[in-house]
Amino acid sequence: MKKRSERKKLCIRICLTVIAVVTALIFIMPIVLTISNSFMSAAEITSNYGSIFQKTDTGGKQYISQTVNLKFIPDMVTFSQYATVLFKSPDYLLKFWNSVILVVPIVVFQLVVAVLAAYGFTRTRGKLSAIVFFAYVILMMMPYQVTLVPNYLVLNWMKLLDTNWSIWLPGIFSPFSVYLITKYMRRIPVPLIEAAKIDGANEFEVFTKICIPICKGVITTCAILVFMDYWNMVEQPLLFFTDTDKYPLSIFLSKINAQEVGLAFAVATFYMIPSLLIFLYGEDQLVEGIAYQGGVKG
């Protein structure tokens, strides 16, 4: 009976492992395909995927009559697409730096505001604090598209449309990080803070030497999630910017025409690098912050 039980557990473990591997391969396949196809020549890409982008003489859509050939290994490796992106067409680099300029201040200052607000909600308990925090929860549950029109009206009244502030201000004061860090910080043991107070620590020292180190994991988690969210934003720039020169690369990617599919693969690969690096660098903290959200490791 014991051997049967062990065999059954082994079979279940193997099946779950196979399912996990297959699922992982399915999810990673588009990334691998994008990176590998970025090294293909324009002629090879056209021969493999040209039927997808065919149109009728009137410009309408056309059903695919040919089989699309998904290739992960190019017949001949070429760096011409990357040479165009990096040297021959500065528009792509300009849009890339537009994305950096828009996203980095949001991540930094949203975390600053969130940590300060979370400490205030943690140390101040009362009806007013509960009402304000409840408002944060309601705002966090709303899809961003619901608040686009109110944000547009407020920014128009403040004369901030078509400026970077129209993207920065709503992002910096987003309620997501406040909620997540507050729920984590409220689980810090009260005796720990009281012991620090007895030892002569003031509020600033409690905040910087106790709360911040304990919440390091969830702060890193928020930084990664906020970066991923705003790095791929589309609606805000389209609505708040009229000057296309200020568009981030996430919008500019959709404007690449069918004759530049190979270029689109190269730009998409170039665009994925910051997200991949940040995720790989903070993977452990991200997992820890999500796994222990709402609690503190002992």
Side-chain angles (χ1 to χ4, degrees):
M1 292 295 292
K2 186 176 180 181
K3 289 184 178 180
R4 286 184 179 180
S5 178
E6 290 179 354
R7 289 177 182 175
K8 185 177 179 180
K9 290 181 180 179
L10 180 62
C11 291
I12 293 174
R13 190 178 303 168
I14 293 173
C15 291
L16 291 176
T17 303
V18 171
I19 293 172
V21 170
V22 172
T23 304
L25 290 175
I26 292 173
F27 277 96
I28 202 173
M29 187 181 298
I31 298 176
V32 176
L33 188 67
T34 300
I35 296 174
S36 63
N37 288 351
S38 67
F39 295 101
M40 287 184 181
S41 63
E44 186 177 357
I45 290 175
T46 301
S47 63
N48 292 328
Y49 309 110
S51 58
I52 297 178
F53 305 100
Q54 288 179 359
K55 293 185 179 180
T56 60
D57 295 335
T58 59
K61 295 180 179 180
Q62 177 174 309
Y63 290 103
I64 298 175
S65 58
Q66 304 175 6
T67 302
V68 176
N69 185 22
L70 296 177
K71 292 186 65 176
F72 289 91
I73 301 177
D75 294 335
M76 183 180 67
V77 176
T78 177
F79 294 90
S80 60
Q81 317 288 3
Y82 289 98
T84 301
V85 171
L86 296 175
F87 304 109
K88 298 180 182 179
S89 182
D91 285 343
Y92 300 109
L93 283 179
L94 177 63
K95 303 304 180 186
F96 176 84
W97 287 112
N98 283 348
S99 297
V100 173
I101 291 171
L102 290 175
V103 174
V104 172
I106 290 176
V107 175
V108 173
F109 290 103
Q110 184 180 138
L111 291 178
V112 172
V113 171
V115 170
L116 293 173
Y119 185 74
F121 284 127
T122 301
R123 299 289 291 148
T124 305
R125 300 295 182 94
K127 291 184 178 180
L128 181 59
S129 176
I131 292 173
V132 174
F133 187 72
F134 181 74
Y136 267 88
V137 175
I138 296 298
L139 289 173
M140 186 189 68
M141 294 175 63
M142 290 183 180
Y144 187 81
Q145 290 78 7
V146 175
T147 59
L148 277 176
V149 174
N151 283 340
Y152 180 88
L153 295 175
V154 172
L155 292 169
N156 185 41
W157 175 73
M158 297 176 67
K159 308 297 183 184
L160 293 177
L161 290 177
D162 206 29
T163 66
N164 290 340
W165 288 103
S166 62
I167 305 295
W168 288 339
L169 286 179
I172 289 172
F173 295 100
S174 175
F176 171 74
S177 297
V178 176
Y179 172 80
L180 204 64
I181 297 175
T182 300
K183 297 298 290 183
Y184 195 101
M185 197 176 289
R186 281 182 172 177
R187 286 298 188 89
I188 296 176
V190 176
L192 180 64
I193 297 177
E194 291 179 349
K197 286 281 190 178
I198 293 174
D199 290 338
N202 53 35
E203 288 292 338
F204 182 76
E205 291 174 333
V206 170
F207 174 67
T208 56
K209 296 182 179 180
I210 296 178
C211 294
I212 295 297
I214 291 177
C215 297
K216 182 181 178 181
V218 73
I219 292 173
T220 305
T221 299
C222 289
I224 296 173
L225 296 177
V226 171
F227 180 87
M228 298 292 185
D229 186 22
Y230 284 93
W231 188 250
N232 299 309
M233 62 180 169
V234 175
E235 297 96 339
Q236 302 96 310
L238 282 175
L239 185 62
F240 300 151
F241 287 160
T242 57
D243 185 3
T244 56
D245 290 337
K246 296 181 179 180
Y247 279 174
L249 192 55
S250 55
I251 294 178
F252 202 63
L253 276 171
S254 63
K255 299 184 179 298
I256 298 177
N257 57 47
Q259 286 71 38
E260 298 176 327
V261 181
L263 197 59
F265 281 126
V267 175
T269 302
F270 187 66
Y271 190 63
M272 284 191 298
I273 291 175
S275 299
L276 291 175
L277 291 177
I278 289 176
F279 176 80
L280 293 174
Y281 176 78
E283 181 182 4
D284 295 337
Q285 290 85 352
L286 178 63
V287 173
E288 180 183 353
I290 293 176
Y292 292 94
Q293 196 280 324
V296 179
K297 293 173 66 176

